[in-house]
Amino acid sequence: MTETLAATSSEEDVFRVILHPALEALGAEAGTVLLLETGQLRAVATAGQEDVVSLWQDGPLSMNTPTADVINRQSPLFFGHSDELLADYPALEKRTGGRATVANAVLPMVLEGRALGVVVLDFLQAHDFLEVERRFLRVLCGQCAVALGRIRQLQEQEQLVLERTVALSAFAALTEAVGSETDLRVLARQAVEVLQSYLPELRVVYGELEQGRWEARVVSDNVTLEAATAARSGYAFGTPTLLQAVQARNCTFIDGFDAVEAGFSHAAVHGAVAFYPYFQAGQPSSVLVVGTQQTRRWTDADRAMISAVGRSLGLAMERAETSRRLRERSSELAARTRALEGFSSITRTLTPGSDPYPLIRQAEELVLSMLPEGYAHYYELTGGRWVGRVQTGDMRSAALQALVKRGFEFERAQSLFIPWTTRQPLYQNEYVRRGEQDNDTHLVAHFQSVASLPVLMNAQPVGIMVFVLFTPRKWSRTDKAVMETTVRSLGLTLERTEYARQKEAQSLAVLEARSRAEQAVLEAERQRSQAETMTHLAHHDALTGLPNRAGLIARLTEAISACTPFALFYLDLDGFKAVNDTLGHHAGDALLIQITSVLRREVMLTDGHEQVLARIGGDEFTVMVGGVLDEDRSAALALGMCSALDQPFQVAGQTVFVTASTGIAVFPGDGQTPEDLLKNADLAMYQVKRESKNGWRHYRPGMNEEARTRLQLASGLRGALGRDEFQVHYQPQVDLESGEVRCLEALLRWFPAGGEVVSPAQFIPAAEASGLIISIGQWVLDTACAQLAVWRKDGFPGLRIAVNVSPVQFARPDFVEVVQVALDRAGLEAGALELELTERGVLADLPGVLEQFRALRRLGVQIALDDFGAGEAHLGRLLHLPFDVLKLDRNLIVTLDEQPEAQRFMSALQVFASSLDLELVAEGIETPAQLEAVRTLGCHRAQGYLLGRPVAVWPSPDEE
């Protein structure tokens, strides 16, 4: 009994194992198992005589009762006679109104100090409980508790695995988005979804630090409106828990957290909370807050998941910030270049001794052309006063214009004084109104942003150039680069003009030539380095360093131009997606690097004029081997590559296996351009994918036509159901004993409008590949059930219908519900329907279909294994799947006339089927001899052209 309990898989099995032996061993008339759940006793199993009246009832656990005492004391009670029971518990007589039982035993089921429930045995006669009986019952209940604990632990583990799988899938989507998404709020929303898929009760807020306050930017939907409003309004930077996380510079986890007490107004009480801070340039910038509404502590798994999501979000922020800096730097360089080019064109007409003010005006115009509406003014210091020399643009104030014309005292005009004395630009995003010119505030009310830059000659200021904008603007690095480059160039130009006035014109020419030469050399070097970098990145894969598609096409083009024959191998990894989905993209990248090393070693061993290994897609590689024209040689090379990959790979602490489907195209026979060769090798590769995987095929011209045919077939299927192009034909199955039609198999036929009839062997795979088989299969099921209902009303009450089911349909979680709806709509009982599944489709994933089988069996639907013997015969697996019918493929039937050993096999198969209570149905009966043979061998039903072809209308008018 202990071994049997250890093998149980459900609580019902445990109760069945213990109750009946206990009743038999002690001679009890009835037994009950009651489980304790949240203070309630619930009867979950009974055994024995149904007319025995027991006092043990479902409901709340009442004190001063045998069950309550047994559970609280965790020790059994034995009452040899009802007098003993009523003596200890007199209230029971009043509560039950009398008892039919005379003796009772009440035993607790205890696991690790916790009572799970009780087992009650009832006797109709007085019973003297011997010590051996008491010890037997104690051991039995103890084993029962252990078995229940093991089953519940397994159920909890399964639920945990399911929850973690959902969370890992969402985390994989977040990890993938980190590599491409630049909008931090979109990434934050995905982070919220990941955390809630891991633990739905979590409430998540992503906030950014804005002007000393943490203001929420993304709030999970389960946060209350009042709390969300408060979060968006923001919390002070110095809020203790937030400040603690910032100072720790790491994720901070707090158990037993009270949000209101911690300074978070309007927030509900949290059981636990985590703060993950983020930094930019060493300063706090944003925070991810994760909290739970239940009183709980963070587990190690919680901490690991929150930390992982937080790190991924942090990586995205770093990448976005890096991208922003690169864009700014690029924009700055481009602006500097434009400024230099513009100023260079301005200074070409400047001659020594000429008036510098037109040059200054052109410099002002150049800068203003790159800024919003405003004006520029160039000031010089003369006699201790600032005097305006050059103005570009309108000040929008005549009074201000007059004030500027009069000039300002040196120290009163701070916007001019500060850059003059510091030799550094002064940028004011918001203009500070101070100085003599600001005495009348209304004169400068339209000033929004101001930039003041000193013009230096030989490191000494000679003037101040001021740019005033009438609209607010935060001066960017690009703005500053344009202005500083222009002003610096202006200063250098003024230096050169001054120098030219003092020196010979020849010296100036030498200086300019040297300057231009140095700039040209630097620019040429920069462009060369940039071109080399861009060329390499454009032609190589960043992960593996291999040539990418562009690099491969370049090499193929060179080989084609040189008329060098070569073979092109197109490899697509089998099973790589499963590694990515289960272990994550980092593991997938690690696996790709290992595969690259394996293929590189294999290619280096290849004896050819030239070898090129390239990665042209996520899990797609190509190999070009020069000097190969012979198919045997290329097949040998493909075998070597497949064999090299036939090894275990260690990824993320796991051992994984992958194979490759390979297509081969040869130049010049299979294409004259790189694109044609890649396309044809790809077609050959997909031929391998469809057939078996882990192999290779040479390109054949007919593959193009097959691909077009498949495309046309898939296109036609999409509207076929709506155009009423499908019909269901019915083929009878005859009872070999009575000769009557017991069942009809529903067979789908496609009659395209304006075209020829398409074989199911052609369009069924296409429908499965496109997913259309779901709607088509449901239509067939509904149509067949409705037709059976009509036949039964017309005088065939015992008739059944058999419907073929695609593995794609069968794998869907709602399939059982679809079957139930079809039966209910037609008004049929479940036993009227027989579902046929192919051997390959069902046995390919035994654990995945077992629960689906059980659900259909509970419903009452008959299940048949179709085409048995057409592929590999998994007789052992049939022991685990509850089939009702075994349909023998016509290939087995044909051999009955040709091979004597076939009859011996069929006889053995009949014994096997009989032992499993399987009904045998013979398919493909075309001759009387075959019919007699399957009847002799014990088949129950037969089907074939001899007995009736598939027809749209059954029975035919002649048969009626």
Side-chain angles (χ1 to χ4, degrees):
M1 187 181 299
T2 301
E3 294 176 354
T4 305
L5 282 172
T8 53
S9 60
S10 66
E11 295 183 355
E12 292 77 7
D13 293 342
V14 172
F15 303 145
R16 186 176 62 254
V17 168
I18 67 165
L19 275 181
H20 291 289
L23 295 181
E24 293 177 1
L26 277 75
E29 279 70 21
T32 307
V33 177
L34 299 101
L35 289 183
L36 180 62
E37 298 173 348
T38 62
Q40 298 275 336
L41 280 175
R42 180 172 62 90
V44 294
T46 58
Q49 300 181 21
E50 297 182 356
D51 57 349
V52 173
V53 177
S54 175
L55 96 101
W56 322 112
Q57 304 292 327
D58 292 349
L61 184 64
S62 302
M63 294 298 101
N64 300 319
T65 60
T67 48
D69 289 345
V70 165
I71 288 175
N72 293 330
R73 300 170 186 171
Q74 297 187 3
S75 61
L77 292 176
F78 299 95
F79 302 100
H81 194 275
S82 57
D83 293 341
E84 300 175 11
L85 175 64
L86 295 177
D88 292 339
Y89 302 96
L92 290 180
E93 178 70 26
K94 179 180 180 180
R95 186 169 72 98
T96 61
R99 290 169 37 82
T101 58
V102 176
N104 309 92
V106 187
L107 301 102
M109 296 180 290
V110 181
L111 180 64
E112 298 178 353
R114 182 169 60 91
L116 304 181
V118 297
V119 178
V120 180
L121 299 182
D122 296 317
F123 299 80
L124 296 181
Q125 297 179 351
H127 189 87
D128 185 11
F129 290 96
L130 302 177
E131 180 58 32
V132 66
E133 292 176 334
R134 300 185 181 204
R135 188 163 55 251
F136 166 72
L137 292 176
R138 289 191 190 98
V139 171
L140 187 63
C141 291
Q143 291 296 321
C144 178
V146 170
L148 288 177
R150 174 180 54 80
I151 291 171
R152 292 180 178 180
Q153 183 179 13
L154 288 175
Q155 293 172 345
E156 292 173 356
Q157 291 175 349
E158 290 175 357
Q159 181 63 27
L160 180 61
V161 169
L162 178 61
E163 293 174 353
R164 294 297 161 84
T165 300
V166 173
L168 286 174
S169 298
F171 184 71
L174 172 62
T175 305
E176 182 177 2
V178 165
S180 58
E181 182 61 57
T182 57
D183 190 332
L184 293 182
R185 297 186 186 181
V186 172
L187 287 167
R189 173 59 63 184
Q190 289 185 315
V192 170
E193 294 174 358
V194 171
L195 291 170
Q196 289 190 320
S197 67
Y198 168 76
L199 192 61
E201 69 164 302
L202 291 181
R203 298 188 175 184
V204 188
V205 175
Y206 168 75
E208 296 178 350
L209 187 60
E210 188 72 27
Q211 297 182 348
R213 294 186 66 81
W214 298 102
E215 297 179 0
R217 297 291 185 256
V218 176
V219 181
S220 62
D221 295 337
N222 57 355
V223 174
T224 64
L225 178 60
E226 186 179 29
T229 302
R232 292 190 175 96
S233 298
Y235 295 102
F237 174 77
T239 301
T241 49
L242 289 170
L243 185 60
Q244 177 185 353
V246 170
Q247 292 172 342
R249 303 186 74 85
N250 206 343
C251 189
T252 301
F253 294 90
I254 303 175
D255 296 326
F257 181 76
D258 189 319
V260 176
E261 182 179 333
F264 291 89
S265 60
H266 304 292
V269 176
H270 290 75
V273 71
F275 300 92
Y276 201 117
Y278 300 101
F279 300 83
Q280 286 186 4
Q283 298 301 315
S285 61
S286 55
V287 65
L288 185 69
V289 183
V290 183
T292 173
Q293 290 300 104
Q294 299 178 5
T295 302
R296 64 193 301 270
R297 299 175 62 85
W298 293 119
T299 65
D300 292 341
D302 298 337
R303 294 170 183 258
M305 174 57 75
I306 294 172
S307 297
V309 172
R311 282 194 298 272
S312 295
L313 189 58
L315 290 174
M317 293 179 180
E318 292 177 6
R319 182 180 57 78
E321 177 63 17
T322 301
S323 299
R324 183 191 63 79
R325 290 198 299 268
L326 288 175
R327 287 194 302 271
E328 287 184 355
R329 183 59 178 165
S330 176
S331 178
E332 177 184 341
L333 290 175
R336 287 182 184 274
T337 301
R338 291 196 303 272
L340 285 171
E341 291 174 349
F343 199 80
S344 176
S345 65
I346 294 173
T347 58
R348 288 194 187 103
T349 59
L350 186 66
T351 59
S354 61
D355 185 0
Y357 295 134
L359 175 64
I360 294 173
R361 184 180 302 279
Q362 289 178 312
E364 291 177 344
E365 292 173 349
L366 174 64
V367 173
L368 287 176
S369 69
M370 302 181 188
L371 294 175
E373 185 177 5
Y375 77 91
H377 209 113
Y378 176 71
Y379 295 90
E380 291 180 349
L381 187 62
T382 303
R385 291 182 67 83
W386 295 106
V387 178
R389 297 298 187 190
V390 180
Q391 178 179 324
T392 303
D394 185 7
M395 286 187 178
R396 294 185 177 180
S397 171
L400 179 61
Q401 190 76 58
L403 182 62
V404 170
K405 188 175 181 179
R406 293 195 301 268
F408 319 111
E409 292 184 7
F410 176 62
E411 295 185 359
R412 294 293 301 274
Q414 297 295 306
S415 296
L416 305 177
F417 172 75
I418 292 175
W420 179 275
T421 55
T422 62
R423 273 67 165 173
Q424 297 294 326
L426 174 63
Y427 296 103
Q428 301 179 62
N429 296 328
E430 296 181 4
Y431 177 59
V432 179
R433 293 165 176 82
R434 59 193 174 190
E436 184 178 331
Q437 73 274 32
D438 297 341
N439 289 338
D440 296 323
T441 305
H442 68 279
L443 296 181
V444 293
H446 56 295
F447 285 16
Q448 298 296 330
S449 301
V450 176
S452 308
L453 298 94
V455 180
L456 306 178
M457 287 180 57
N458 298 317
Q460 297 301 318
V462 295
I464 302 294
M465 187 171 288
V466 179
F467 297 95
V468 178
L469 300 183
F470 302 144
T471 56
R473 184 178 183 87
K474 182 177 181 180
W475 297 110
S476 67
R477 290 183 56 176
T478 301
D479 297 335
K480 296 175 182 178
V482 169
M483 291 185 285
E484 290 173 12
T485 300
T486 302
V487 172
R488 190 179 299 116
S489 299
L490 175 61
L492 291 174
T493 302
L494 294 176
E495 285 181 10
R496 289 199 299 270
T497 59
E498 180 65 21
Y499 182 78
R501 284 194 297 268
Q502 299 173 4
K503 300 295 182 181
E504 296 289 337
Q506 184 179 3
S507 299
L508 179 59
V510 170
L511 181 61
E512 291 178 347
R514 183 181 300 166
S515 177
R516 287 195 300 270
E518 290 176 353
Q519 187 175 358
V521 169
L522 291 175
E523 180 63 19
E525 178 63 25
R526 183 189 67 79
Q527 292 181 359
R528 183 189 64 78
S529 175
Q530 185 179 21
E532 290 178 354
T533 301
M534 295 301 294
T535 300
H536 181 82
L537 292 176
H539 289 79
H540 288 80
D541 173 44
L543 177 65
T544 63
L546 296 175
N548 57 17
R549 182 178 288 271
L552 172 67
I553 290 178
R555 300 292 291 273
L556 294 178
T557 301
E558 293 174 3
I560 292 173
S561 299
C563 297
T564 303
F566 60 85
L568 180 63
F569 301 83
Y570 197 120
L571 289 77
D572 186 277
L573 301 180
D574 308 319
F576 177 76
K577 184 177 183 299
V579 175
N580 251 359
D581 292 345
T582 57
L583 301 182
H585 287 276
H586 290 301
D589 289 347
L591 177 59
L592 288 173
I593 293 173
Q594 295 184 49
I595 290 173
T596 299
S597 299
V598 171
L599 291 176
R600 183 179 280 121
R601 288 195 299 270
E602 184 65 24
V603 170
M604 290 176 63
L605 298 175
T606 303
D607 182 18
H609 294 83
E610 182 182 12
Q611 302 91 23
V612 179
L613 171 63
R615 180 187 177 214
I616 62 173
D619 57 354
E620 296 175 336
F621 293 82
T622 60
V623 179
M624 184 193 85
V625 181
V628 177
L629 284 172
D630 182 71
E631 286 196 356
D632 293 338
R633 172 90 186 284
S634 59
L637 294 176
L639 174 60
M641 296 176 200
C642 291
S643 300
L645 293 174
D646 188 14
Q647 60 173 291
F649 294 93
Q650 297 298 321
V651 177
Q654 301 289 327
T655 300
V656 300
F657 293 86
V658 295
T659 58
S661 298
T662 306
I664 307 171
V666 178
F667 172 78
D670 296 335
Q672 299 295 315
T673 66
E675 291 75 13
D676 287 344
L677 290 166
L678 280 169
K679 180 191 71 174
N680 293 338
D682 188 29
L683 285 173
M685 180 272 293
Y686 272 105
Q687 186 74 19
V688 181
K689 282 281 191 185
R690 286 192 300 273
E691 292 176 354
S692 61
K693 300 184 180 180
N694 192 23
W696 63 89
R697 291 288 184 275
H698 289 86
Y699 167 73
R700 295 288 183 267
M703 292 180 180
N704 289 315
E705 184 59 34
E706 292 176 6
R708 281 192 292 271
T709 300
R710 287 193 299 272
L711 183 61
Q712 294 171 356
L713 195 65
S715 178
L717 274 172
R718 294 201 176 276
L721 195 59
R723 294 190 298 268
D724 294 330
E725 294 178 357
F726 289 119
Q727 292 185 12
V728 178
H729 287 198
Y730 303 92
Q731 187 175 26
Q733 295 178 3
V734 177
D735 187 302
L736 292 179
E737 182 176 349
S738 66
E740 296 180 353
V741 174
R742 284 182 50 193
C743 182
L744 287 104
E745 181 177 1
L747 302 170
L748 182 62
R749 297 293 184 262
W750 183 20
F751 299 90
E756 298 180 355
V757 178
V758 182
S759 169
Q762 291 180 284
F763 73 79
I764 291 298
E768 290 179 331
S770 63
L772 294 172
I773 194 65
I774 303 302
S775 57
I776 295 174
Q778 184 172 347
W779 177 83
V780 172
L781 182 63
D782 291 340
T783 302
C785 289
Q787 181 59 58
L788 178 61
V790 172
W791 283 329
R792 287 193 166 190
K793 291 180 180 178
D794 290 347
F796 299 95
L799 198 61
R800 291 162 54 191
I801 193 73
V803 179
N804 291 280
V805 177
S806 164
V808 178
Q809 293 176 265
F810 193 76
R812 287 177 62 87
D814 63 344
F815 177 69
V816 176
E817 182 181 350
V818 169
V819 172
Q820 180 69 69
V821 169
L823 291 169
D824 294 343
R825 187 181 291 122
L828 297 175
E829 76 280 4
L833 177 62
E834 184 175 296
L835 299 178
E836 297 189 3
L837 303 168
T838 61
E839 182 179 5
R840 176 178 298 178
V842 173
L843 299 184
D845 182 17
L846 184 61
V849 302
L850 188 55
E851 183 55 36
Q852 202 81 302
F853 265 86
R854 290 172 176 166
L856 289 170
R857 289 298 300 273
R858 288 193 296 268
L859 190 62
V861 174
Q862 298 288 300
I863 306 176
L865 179 59
D866 197 11
D867 298 335
F868 182 78
E872 298 179 3
H874 297 271
L875 295 177
R877 292 187 180 181
L878 289 177
L879 297 174
H880 303 286
L881 294 174
F883 284 106
D884 301 288
V885 180
L886 197 63
K887 296 192 70 176
L888 307 179
D889 188 72
R890 77 178 294 274
N891 290 328
L892 288 177
I893 304 304
V894 170
T895 59
L896 292 176
D897 297 334
E898 303 171 353
Q899 302 175 11
E901 59 271 18
Q903 295 190 9
R904 292 194 296 273
F905 172 76
M906 289 288 289
S907 297
L909 184 61
Q910 193 279 332
V911 174
F912 175 78
S914 178
S915 65
L916 295 179
D917 199 20
L918 294 175
E919 187 176 2
L920 282 180
V921 178
E923 295 183 291
I925 303 299
E926 298 180 354
T927 67
Q930 293 174 349
L931 180 63
E932 186 58 33
V934 298
R935 178 183 286 113
T936 303
L937 291 171
C939 289
H940 303 87
R941 283 183 273 162
Q943 176 181 354
Y945 284 179
L946 179 66
L947 301 170
R949 293 176 175 270
V951 292
V953 178
W954 184 92
S956 64
D958 295 338
E959 292 175 330
E960 293 180 349

